[in-house]
């Protein structure tokens, strides 16, 4: 009898492991789905700036935002991540990647080796981008200078260091759906919505997270604890920005200056180094969309300790 119980438990465990393995198979993009085309480098540069690629991947503590050797430490409740080298260096960067490898990484969160990337790489937002825009980014990246230097591994405690478990995270938070324009709004509004929700990945920082690290959709854009550990990311819905005009928002994205004369700092300062390079029309479109966000109450800020 005991032998049968043990064998039954082993069988159930094997079935469960097999189901887990099947459900967490990393998704990829088929090379045949990317027909030959002429890359648009101007668009690639615009999408690179919209995506904020240099905010994380530029080598820290140096002025060249196009030196994409990585190394930035990104703390989180799950461990510390280190942004990889995405320069065209063939040994330490992505110089040997194919276009299919790049599109798969950006939109599926899967590495060329067939493993899951952690969602600190904001592919949950990048999945909304047009494939053509992602392909143009890759073409633009190949025009930049290669940077040598291998970035250290992430510092992740058990069980978060088991990448296969990210496949379960993707089941909850990665639906593979592209951005769909809203016919009820203008072309400018839709351009802004596309940039903010897709490559701009604004909600990744400006939204609270649940216990699994996914965005709390009911409070999207309503701010929350800084994912990097210190401070509070502001609410950018009309709950907090009711007194801001679209022009104010666009000016912030260009200069970092707020209507009250204060200046954006921290991670937002890195973001503005990118958005300041966007065409004025794109900053205006993003501002129009953000200004249209309905008021949403965000999570309560922690009370300040008495001095």
């Amino acid at each position: 009898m005991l032998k049968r119980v043990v064998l039954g438990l082993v069988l159930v465990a094997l079935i469960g492991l097999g189901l887990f393995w099947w459900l967490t198979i990393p998704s990829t993009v088929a090379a045949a789905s990317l027909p030959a085309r002429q890359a648009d480098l101007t668009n690639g540069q615009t999408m690179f700036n919209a995506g904020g690629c240099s905010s994380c991947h530029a080598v820290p503590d140096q002025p060249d935002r196009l030196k994409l050797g990585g190394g930035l430490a990104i703390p989180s409740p799950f461990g510390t991540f280190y942004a990889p080298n995405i320069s065209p260096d063939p040994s330490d960067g992505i110089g040997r990647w194919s276009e299919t490898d790049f599109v798969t990484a950006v939109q599926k969160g899967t590495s060329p080796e067939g493993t899951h990337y952690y969602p600190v790489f904001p592919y949950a937002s990048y999945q909304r981008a047009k494939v053509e825009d992602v392909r143009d980014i890759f073409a633009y990246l190949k025009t930049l200078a290669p940077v040598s230097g291998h970035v250290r591994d992430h510092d992740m405690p058990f069980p978060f260091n088991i990448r296969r478990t990210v496949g379960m995270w993707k089941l909850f938070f990665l639906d593979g759906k592209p951005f769909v324009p809203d016919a009820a709004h203008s072309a400018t509004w839709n351009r802004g919505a596309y940039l903010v929700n897709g490559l701009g990945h604004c909600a990744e920082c400006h939204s609270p997270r649940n216990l699994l690290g996914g965005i709390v959709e009911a409070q999207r854009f309503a701010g929350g604890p800084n994912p990097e550990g210190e401070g509070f990311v502001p609410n950018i819905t009309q709950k907090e920005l009711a007194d801001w005009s679209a022009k104010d928002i666009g000016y912030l994205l260009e200069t970092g200056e707020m209507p009250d004369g204060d200046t954006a700092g921290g991670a937002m300062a890195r973001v503005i180094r990118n958005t300041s390079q966007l065409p004025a029309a794109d900053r205006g479109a993003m501002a129009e969309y953000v200004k249209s966000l309905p008021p949403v109450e965000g999570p309560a800020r922690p009370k300040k300790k008495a001095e």
Side-chain angles (χ1 to χ4, degrees):
M1 180 65 180
L2 179 60
K3 185 177 180 180
R4 289 183 178 179
V5 171
V6 171
L7 288 175
L9 291 174
V10 170
L11 181 60
V12 169
L14 289 174
I15 292 173
L17 181 61
L19 181 61
F20 166 78
W21 205 254
W22 177 72
L23 289 172
T24 59
I25 294 173
S27 297
T28 59
V29 172
S33 69
L34 303 178
R37 64 187 285 274
Q38 183 66 43
D40 183 339
L41 292 179
T42 299
N43 182 57
Q45 183 178 26
T46 296
M47 293 300 106
F48 169 85
N49 289 325
C53 305
S54 71
S55 295
C56 286
H57 295 282
V59 176
D61 303 321
Q62 54 82 41
D64 188 352
R65 59 186 287 273
L66 299 182
K67 189 176 182 180
L68 303 178
L72 178 71
I74 307 171
S76 83
F78 305 98
T80 300
F81 300 95
Y82 294 88
N85 184 330
I86 62 166
S87 80
D89 186 89
S91 298
D92 301 319
I94 62 173
R96 295 180 182 174
W97 285 27
S98 68
E99 187 180 52
T100 305
D101 290 336
F102 186 76
V103 175
T104 295
V106 171
Q107 298 204 294
K108 302 295 184 181
T110 301
S111 75
E113 294 75 35
T115 59
H116 294 295
Y117 283 123
Y118 288 105
V120 66
F121 180 21
Y123 48 77
S125 290
Y126 290 167
Q127 66 178 329
R128 310 297 179 206
K130 299 174 184 176
V131 173
E132 293 78 9
D133 286 343
V134 177
R135 297 176 75 180
D136 285 343
I137 292 174
F138 183 61
Y140 173 71
L141 287 174
K142 290 194 292 184
T143 70
L144 302 180
V147 180
S148 62
H150 181 71
V151 175
R152 59 164 292 178
D153 292 336
H154 302 315
D155 185 9
M156 307 290 292
F158 180 83
F160 306 122
N161 59 348
I162 302 176
R163 285 183 180 266
R164 192 78 185 198
T165 60
V166 177
M168 297 302 295
W169 187 95
K170 289 180 177 180
L171 290 178
F172 289 105
F173 304 111
L174 205 67
D175 58 24
K177 295 179 181 178
F179 172 79
V180 177
D182 187 340
H185 291 280
S186 68
T188 300
W189 184 95
N190 275 294
R191 174 67 170 179
Y194 171 71
L195 293 174
V196 168
N197 289 292
L199 289 169
H201 64 282
C202 303
E204 298 288 342
C205 283
H206 287 280
S207 306
R209 301 273 176 169
N210 58 31
L211 291 177
L212 296 178
I215 289 174
V216 179
E217 288 298 330
Q219 293 180 305
R220 191 174 180 85
F221 297 115
N226 186 345
E228 297 186 9
E230 293 185 5
F232 210 84
V233 179
N235 185 326
I236 59 171
T237 73
Q238 287 301 287
K239 177 67 179 179
E240 296 294 335
L241 298 187
D243 293 335
W244 289 45
S245 67
K247 185 177 180 180
D248 291 333
I249 298 170
Y251 192 66
L252 171 73
L253 295 176
E254 179 182 7
T255 67
E257 295 183 19
M258 304 180 192
D260 62 3
D262 199 0
T263 302
M268 191 62 192
R270 297 198 304 269
V271 171
I272 291 167
R273 290 182 69 189
N274 296 292
T275 57
S276 65
Q277 303 301 310
L278 290 173
D282 280 342
R283 287 195 300 271
M286 293 172 73
E288 180 177 326
Y289 173 73
V290 171
K291 181 61 184 174
S292 75
L293 294 173
V296 176
E297 186 72 52
R301 290 175 179 261
K303 295 180 179 180
K304 293 182 179 180
K305 295 180 180 179
E307 296 183 358

